Amino acid sequence: MQALNKKTIEDINPENKKVLVRCDFNVPITDGKIDDSKRIVESLPTIKYLAEKGAKIILCSHLGRPKGEFNKKYSLKIVAEKLTELLGKEIIMANDVIGDDAKAKSAALKPGEIMLIENVRFHNEEEKNDPEFSKALASLAEIYVNDAFGTAHRAHSSTAGVSDYLPAVAGYLINKEISVMGGALSNPKRPFVAILGGAKVSDKIGVITNLLDKVDTLLIGGAMAYTFIKANGGKVGDSLCEDEKLDIARDIVEKAKSKNIRLLIPIDHVIADEFKNDANKKICFGACISDGWEGLDIGPETINLFSGVIKDAGTIVWNGPMGVFEFDNFATGTKEIARAVAESGAVSIIGGGDSAAAVEKLGFAEKVTHISTGGGAALEFLEGIELPGITCLQDK
Ligand code: AMP
């Protein structure tokens, strides 16, 4: 529960001060158009608050992976246009990050005005958390606000380094993310159910281990379930399975038993003879998938089993799809679990990434308590790891 004891923008007086705000404007773009503006929309409360309080606002973010040099494809101009549209107020765009244009435009800002500097990753130094670069960024402003939850697990110049040179506080989005997720982890309404899916057990060991001390039930789906099934002596055919993680899976099962935690793995599967949407498919009940077949989704009985648990939950944390939801023919498990979570009435938290995309695509976003804007950051938070972008902020 890190940011709960960190200062926020409400603990400072930003009037007439130049405030550097690190946002997460790393939005998906196709053919020069923003596909999903959620991250920009989520940054608005902090920007509006600071503007109302008469701050001189300097926004910064990364976008994509420009590899340390200027690249028009990764320019934040498109974000400035979107912000102008959303705020109904012109955003001043700087042509560089810490160069003459950014310096001149930030120095000329008037209270309530908002500018956006260019993509911080146009400089290699950003990801190296280079002190000189951090100092140069910091010199544009008098206060630093971190509101980029999506990069809070990275110690980069704009996400952490600048806090060595400026008073640093949290914005509304970071505060919301940490409060909701931290609240659920530390004081959950029970039963507390975690749903974990996705490709690999190895990516989620930390989360599972941390959650085993907190949840009442753990539901495991997606490809990672096959490592558990094989560890249990089942047959997984050609399903994705991490043979070198069988011991860890056994260990997790033992730990769950010893802590009296219910750990449920799929009891049936939608199996396919190829890894493609229009592969031949059938339902396989039990842990006996033949060679030549691979499990690409949880089956109908598993959907029923998991939905029943979800229906009675007080708190739900979900990270990772139940199957290869990118293929329409294998998306039913993920869709139905999203529906069950949305209809549960529980405090429901979607830990970013693919499960967040699924919930949004299905139109359930309004019905869940919180969809995290950070995939990796949410995962690390759920693992109980300290996030450098939050640790660096001033204590209350
Ligand atoms: P992650 O990033 O670990 O949450 O994994 C998400 C990915 O896991 C998605 O691209 C899914 O297609 C993939 N995935 C989920 N279930 C399966 C499965 N049964 N077989 C192969 N890939 C899967």
Side-chain angles (χ1 to χ4, degrees):
M1 289 219 303
Q2 301 172 12
L4 297 178
N5 44 20
K6 294 291 181 184
K7 284 191 182 165
T8 75
I9 42 175
E10 292 190 5
D11 296 312
I12 49 157
N13 179 7
E15 193 182 345
N16 224 359
K17 297 255 171 59
K18 282 180 281 172
V19 182
L20 178 69
V21 188
R22 176 47 155 110
C23 299
D24 179 6
F25 293 145
N26 186 31
V27 288
I29 295 173
T30 314
D31 299 331
K33 287 216 173 82
I34 298 173
D35 299 324
D36 179 358
S37 305
K38 178 176 163 68
R39 285 177 163 169
I40 303 178
V41 172
E42 293 275 5
S43 73
L44 297 179
T46 292
I47 300 171
K48 281 184 185 164
Y49 175 84
L50 290 170
E52 274 162 23
K53 293 282 171 190
K56 302 168 179 177
I57 303 162
I58 305 160
L59 305 174
C60 69
S61 175
H62 78 284
L63 174 63
R65 296 177 186 275
K67 300 201 177 116
E69 57 187 42
F70 181 86
N71 182 337
K72 214 173 149 201
K73 190 175 156 204
Y74 298 107
S75 168
L76 282 169
K77 283 201 174 89
I78 188 168
V79 172
E81 283 158 18
K82 188 74 197 176
L83 274 169
T84 300
E85 180 193 317
L86 290 170
L87 289 165
K89 178 172 185 164
E90 204 194 329
I91 304 297
I92 302 160
M93 184 70 211
N95 297 325
D96 50 28
V97 184
I98 49 166
D100 290 343
D101 198 47
K103 281 183 195 154
K105 284 179 176 155
S106 59
L109 278 176
K110 295 191 187 70
E113 285 187 342
I114 307 165
M115 71 176 276
L116 173 59
I117 58 174
E118 260 300 0
N119 189 338
V120 284
R121 290 198 188 164
F122 285 170
H123 290 258
N124 262 327
E125 295 87 346
E126 158 68 4
E127 288 183 80
K128 292 182 187 149
N129 197 9
D130 177 83
E132 286 307 312
F133 182 69
S134 302
K135 209 170 171 180
L137 259 182
S139 72
L140 297 174
E142 295 151 279
I143 296 172
Y144 168 65
V145 173
N146 191 5
D147 211 21
F149 183 72
T151 45
H153 58 316
R154 305 279 181 232
H156 295 167
S157 282
S158 70
T159 62
V162 281
S163 70
D164 288 343
Y165 308 96
L166 291 175
V169 300
Y172 283 127
L173 176 58
I174 283 221
N175 196 42
K176 180 174 88 174
E177 293 267 12
I178 301 293
S179 305
V180 178
M181 287 199 280
L185 291 186
S186 63
N187 190 19
K189 201 170 155 216
R190 296 197 178 268
F192 183 5
V193 177
I195 312 166
L196 294 175
K200 292 182 179 169
V201 178
S202 44
D203 291 344
K204 311 271 160 99
I205 293 167
V207 184
I208 298 176
T209 310
N210 193 33
L211 291 179
L212 273 181
D213 283 328
K214 300 177 168 59
V215 299
D216 300 296
T217 305
L218 193 56
L219 306 178
I220 293 191
M224 62 188 264
Y226 298 108
T227 306
F228 282 88
I229 289 170
K230 192 164 180 180
N232 246 354
K235 276 190 174 170
V236 299
D238 296 347
S239 307
L240 207 65
C241 178
E242 289 169 277
D243 284 333
E244 65 293 354
K245 293 290 181 283
L246 296 177
D247 283 346
I248 287 177
R250 280 187 206 106
D251 199 42
I252 290 170
V253 171
E254 280 313 308
K255 266 197 197 128
K257 257 189 212 152
S258 71
K259 288 173 191 279
N260 236 348
I261 289 163
R262 216 155 44 128
L263 188 153
L264 299 180
I265 55 178
I267 51 173
D268 62 346
H269 318 271
V270 184
I271 59 171
D273 61 352
E274 272 181 273
F275 188 81
K276 60 178 191 186
N277 186 44
D278 54 1
N280 291 310
K281 61 172 188 167
K282 57 184 181 184
I283 306 294
C284 166
F285 195 85
C288 52
I289 302 173
S290 313
D291 288 345
W293 292 83
E294 57 189 306
L296 296 188
D297 196 9
I298 55 173
E301 294 300 326
T302 306
I303 292 175
N304 279 340
L305 175 70
F306 285 10
S307 299
V309 172
I310 291 166
K311 193 168 139 269
D312 294 333
T315 304
I316 300 165
V317 169
W318 180 17
N319 183 289
M322 295 291 101
V324 186
F325 78 108
E326 296 92 333
F327 296 159
D328 281 348
N329 290 339
F330 300 94
T332 308
T334 303
K335 280 184 194 164
E336 291 307 315
I337 293 306
R339 188 188 310 281
V341 171
E343 289 172 355
S344 67
V347 174
S348 50
I349 294 167
I350 316 295
D354 289 331
S355 20
V359 169
E360 272 163 10
K361 194 174 153 199
L362 293 163
F364 293 132
E366 298 301 317
K367 289 194 173 166
V368 298
T369 312
H370 181 67
I371 300 181
S372 177
T373 53
L379 210 55
E380 290 198 16
F381 186 79
L382 296 175
E383 281 180 51
I385 296 175
E386 288 213 346
L387 308 180
I390 288 159
T391 307
C392 74
L393 305 176
Q394 287 185 343
D395 292 328
K396 269 214 163 139

